[in-house]
Amino acid sequence: MDKAGKEKDKSPSLPPLSPNIPPNVKVEQVDLLKRSIISRPGFGTSGRHISLLTNHFKASIKNPDEIFYHYSVSIHYEDGRAVYSKGIGRKVIDKLYQTYYSELAGKRFAYDGANSLYTVGPLPNDCLGFTVILEESIGKRGGPSHNGSLSESGKKSKHSLQAKTFKVEISHATKVPLKFSSFALQGAEPERVQDALKVLDIILRQEAANRGCLLVRQSFFHDDLRMFTDVGGGVTGVRGFHSSFRPNLGGLSLNMDVSTTVILTPGPVLDFLLANQNVREHCYIDWTKAKKTLKNLRIKARHNNMEFKIRGFSENPCHKQFFTLKLKNDSRGDDGGETSEITVYEYFTKHRSIELAHSAFMPCLDVGKPKRPSYLPLELCSLVPLQRYTKALSSMQKASLIEKSRQKPLDRIQVITDAVRNYCYDDNPLLTACGISIEKQLTQVDGRVLEAPKLKVGGSEDCFPCNGRWNFNNKKLFRATRIDSWALVNFSASCDISYISRELINCGRNKGIHIERPHTLIEEDSQSRIAGPVIRVERMFEQLMTKLPGPPEFLLCVLPERKNSDIYGPWKKKCLSSLGIVTQCISPIKINNQYITNVLLKINSKLGGINSLLAIEHSRCIPLIKDTPTMILGMDVSHGSPGRSDIPSIAAVVGSRSWPLISRYRAAVRTQSSKVEMIESLFKPLANGEDDGIMRELLLDFYQISNGRKPSQIVVFRDGVNDSQFAQVMNIELDQMIKAYQHLGEVDVPKFTLIVVQKNHHTKLFQAGAPGNVPPGTVVDTKVVHPTKYDFFMCSHAGMIGTSRPAHYHVLLDEIGFSPDDLQNLIHSLSYVNQRSTTASSTVAPVFYAHLAAHQMGQFLTFEDLSETLSSETLSGQESIPVPQLPRLHEDVAGSMFFC
């Protein structure tokens, strides 16, 4: 941005969207009607045709008039306590079927693991009660008990059969006609279609459960070492499969795909702790951390081959943890009531003759009851397989998992088709009763490849992307900035910042950016490197400010680590929130022209420059947008680590800000309640009547930068929501956007086009007869899309490694009235406006920016920040957790593309 533009951004007061309204005049708001998802208006035709395969397998139904009978199930222990464990529930239901086969008339059923089961045809009675007895081979105690349950001979730890009695009640709930699973095309009620599909998916889950698989929603994973891959930290990646039935234009299909999850690496508990804490010796294990990590995990004891759940640790180390041992009377052959105090270590080494090499000075595992602890030495215990790891992966673990999970398209096709054949779903008794058969080959579909949009670079020169890529070799940036005042700081001891400075200036000259020599280059001193990240940043700024004549336009920061540097958050917070200085962080491994060019692209866009433009926006000929002020929004919510309810979710919305251009964006970011997906701050009225919401901020920015024009049309791209949340997006979030607009005194509400973008799905596209990925620009809007709703798949990027995953676009509302071709071409073009890259993004740039903005601003909220804001009531167990607010961006950078 030029100097005038910068001054304009800093205007202290923004013009209102409409004349001032007298305080005694109340703005009447129109009634916000509940909206329905639109149907497909037609199909696209532009682009060249291409033959594709997809991982949907056609399912035929010979008995469509069959009816599933839904029964409610309640399972209780003999004392009346409810059974909540899905594992126990499945065992009880399996035993019930074996025991009461005749009473159930031999009816097979699908059980969901909770409180529902389904049969094909009715059971003999609508309400049935059963008593089920499960016998398990167990020991009275797993190890020495704190209150003395073991004798000297150890007889009580020998195996015995323990019977547990369960009461099961089954009552008829409703009927679910199978025909609705394929009636979506005829316009059947969505709820009834989903009910029928739910039953079919439960059948698939039960099939996997019967094979002993780990179930994760509709994915299942076998205990097969060939499917395991180590990702470090005691965590193992497991390859399995996703399977679900989907209604589409071609009828009903089975969607089968490769799926990956992570589990705790099975094996000795001590080996796991060493790997998990990244230490080499047992003496370095952090037992406080280990206790938290191991709680509720399942282990198998080596000395008796039995499974237990870990409740905690003993209070004392193994050689000091005493319990009461009943002594054997040799003359009578019984214990005679005599006891002796003995340690767990002595019991296992002397009375059980088990050698313990490491356990003496370690705590024992408590596998007993809350009031009757039972202790086992750690080295006798191993983690059982297929225990899901639910904590957040580190950046290194994520990278390793992604790297080891990749499959080339042809390899993926082979694995998927083999799985469909091997699982023999046609032999499932419930599917057979319905007459459901599944084809064994991938579905053929017709796709189209859209032409890549032409770009404009410096000097209005044309740039033609090839295979989703372009470069700036011998080209200048479309609108380059000038950098007169800047500095370079170095937190890395292994980087030559003088060389980086020279290369940046030289490369910038070639791209049209005039960069003066930096005011100063500052190296972090060795003493500061041992301090905490916040202190290191503060010390660096103390040095910096003494050497600069005034605030710089820009700071280049060299970090010590490429990913997950603890310096990143404090540095960004200091620059963007406290001081209002644009900054770029780097951690170079190899410095070459391509690397420096990519850094310059980010710097130029952050300082208000434009690297490239779409030719159609340069010439102002974007259909339905060129003549009507149009705002484009990208929306996403980023959630904290799994299981952390004290980490707030972060909502980010980016909006285009310079109509008729669609390449420049500004972000607004807010925190909200943890794990809440719906954005809470689109409209945020305060007690004084003002609105402090996201939409007001973006609407006023659009008004200012677009020369006093108000958006008459708003195109919204919403990321991160699933199908069940579509109605909430339409009738809650959209309502909030309209209220924010009305709060500014406007009566004429803009037209909205609302599109949900999904990447977390299991549809893959393959080129028929070709080994590589589908070409960028590939679109599919037939055969495997929804029968009536308006959706399509688009793969806008070039998949260089592994198998490409297309974005799934769902058009929920289109008041603007795009034709299918116009909308698909607009979305494809928006994948080429990412200013920080020279490759087409896998989804539209506004969504990519929103995801990036939420992630970057999330770095502001370190755990130390949160711990200061949490009240004592929260820490003591109260349900209400305060949501810490993000620090607002400094006014000098609020309008910049800081997220680039």
Side-chain angles (χ1 to χ4, degrees), residues 53-58 239-242 254-258 407 409-425 438-443 766:
L53 299 171
T54 183
N55 57 334
H56 287 244
F57 298 82
K58 183 175 177 58
R239 193 179 73 189
F241 296 96
H242 166 92
L254 174 69
N255 179 206
M256 195 82 172
D257 192 23
V258 175
Q407 285 181 304
L410 291 182
D411 294 337
R412 201 178 194 97
I413 289 174
Q414 188 65 52
V415 169
I416 292 171
T417 52
D418 286 349
V420 172
R421 293 189 181 98
N422 294 337
Y423 286 111
C424 303
Y425 288 122
I438 299 168
E439 294 185 1
K440 304 302 184 290
Q441 60 272 359
L442 279 73
T443 298
F766 307 95

Side-chain angles (χ1 to χ4, degrees), residues 746-764:
E746 294 301 312
V747 177
D748 296 328
V749 175
K751 294 180 179 179
F752 282 88
T753 291
L754 179 57
I755 304 166
V756 168
V757 189
Q758 292 179 335
K759 291 286 285 182
N760 189 24
H761 61 84
H762 287 276
T763 295
K764 300 293 189 296

Side-chain angles (χ1 to χ4, degrees), residues 73 75 77 83-96 111-114 132 134 166 168:
V73 180
I75 306 175
Y77 292 101
V83 172
Y84 296 107
S85 167
K86 288 188 176 182
I88 295 177
R90 290 190 185 279
K91 289 180 181 179
V92 171
I93 295 298
D94 288 345
K95 184 68 174 179
L96 181 150
Y111 175 55
D112 70 350
V132 178
L134 286 182
F166 298 88
V168 182

